[in-house]
Amino acid sequence: MNEINNVIFKGHVNKEKIPFILSKGDILLINCSPETEQLVLNYGVSYNKLFEYLAAEKIILQTLNCGYNILEKENCGFSISADSEIDEIVECIRKIEKMNEKEKSVYKENCRKIIKNYDFKKLTKNLINIIEKER
C-alpha cells in the first residue's frame, strides 16, 4: 500500500467545525465510487458538501459523473469519472499542485463568485418572488 502521511480521516465532526477544517486543506475532494455512483444519482445528488467547499474558496476535485456539473460550468475545480483509476486522481492532484498562485487564484475567485448565487437569503428572496408572481 502507498505510504500516505499527509491525509487524515477524522470521522464525524460537528457542523460548526467544518469551515475551520476546510480552511486547512489545499484541495477538497468530493469522492464517489463506481459502486455507489448509481445509487447516489438515482436518489439525487446532495451537494451540501459542494457548497461548503465553494464557500471555503478552495480548488475542488470531484469523482462523480453528473449531468449538471457546477465545477466545469463555473471553472471552480476538476471533475473526473467515478470509475477513474487511482492514477488519474493522482495525476489531477499533481496538476493542481504544480499550479502557481495566480492560476490557483482563478479557481478560488470563481468559487467566491458562484457561491453568491447560492446564498440562502438570495435563494429565499428568489423563491418568494416566484411564489408571489404565481398568485
Side-chain angles (χ1 to χ4, degrees):
M1 198 77 192
N2 293 335
E3 295 285 329
I4 300 174
N5 57 15
N6 61 346
V7 175
I8 300 169
F9 293 96
K10 300 289 277 186
H12 177 78
V13 295
N14 291 330
K15 185 102 171 140
E16 62 271 2
K17 294 181 180 179
I18 298 296
F20 174 77
I21 293 169
L22 297 181
S23 75
K24 299 301 179 190
D26 296 316
I27 301 169
L28 303 179
L29 176 67
I30 298 174
N31 190 42
C32 187
S33 70
E35 296 80 24
T36 60
E37 180 183 40
Q38 195 55 52
L39 181 66
V40 168
L41 294 174
N42 283 346
Y43 292 100
V45 178
S46 173
Y47 261 158
N48 290 344
K49 187 179 290 186
L50 173 65
F51 296 109
E52 290 171 342
Y53 286 9
L54 289 168
E57 298 176 13
K58 302 288 184 169
I59 296 175
I60 303 164
L61 171 57
Q62 170 179 277
T63 61
L64 174 66
N65 306 317
C66 54
Y68 180 76
N69 189 324
I70 292 174
L71 297 182
E72 290 176 357
K73 183 177 184 289
E74 304 294 343
N75 197 29
C76 298
F78 299 87
S79 291
I80 56 178
S81 175
D83 57 359
S84 295
E85 297 294 324
I86 190 69
D87 292 344
E88 293 175 75
I89 297 169
V90 170
E91 182 181 326
C92 189
I93 291 170
R94 287 193 173 132
K95 176 183 174 180
I96 296 167
E97 182 182 52
K98 290 178 184 175
M99 290 179 173
N100 62 43
E101 285 307 311
K102 186 175 181 180
E103 291 169 316
K104 290 178 183 178
S105 71
V106 170
Y107 289 90
K108 293 173 182 182
E109 178 62 27
N110 289 341
C111 287
R112 191 176 303 117
K113 287 178 186 174
I114 190 63
I115 200 66
K116 290 177 184 174
N117 293 332
Y118 296 98
D119 175 76
F120 186 76
K121 289 179 184 176
K122 181 177 181 177
L123 291 174
T124 302
K125 184 177 178 181
N126 289 347
L127 179 59
I128 290 169
N129 288 337
I130 290 169
I131 291 170
E132 288 177 351
K133 284 181 185 177
E134 292 297 320
R135 287 183 175 181

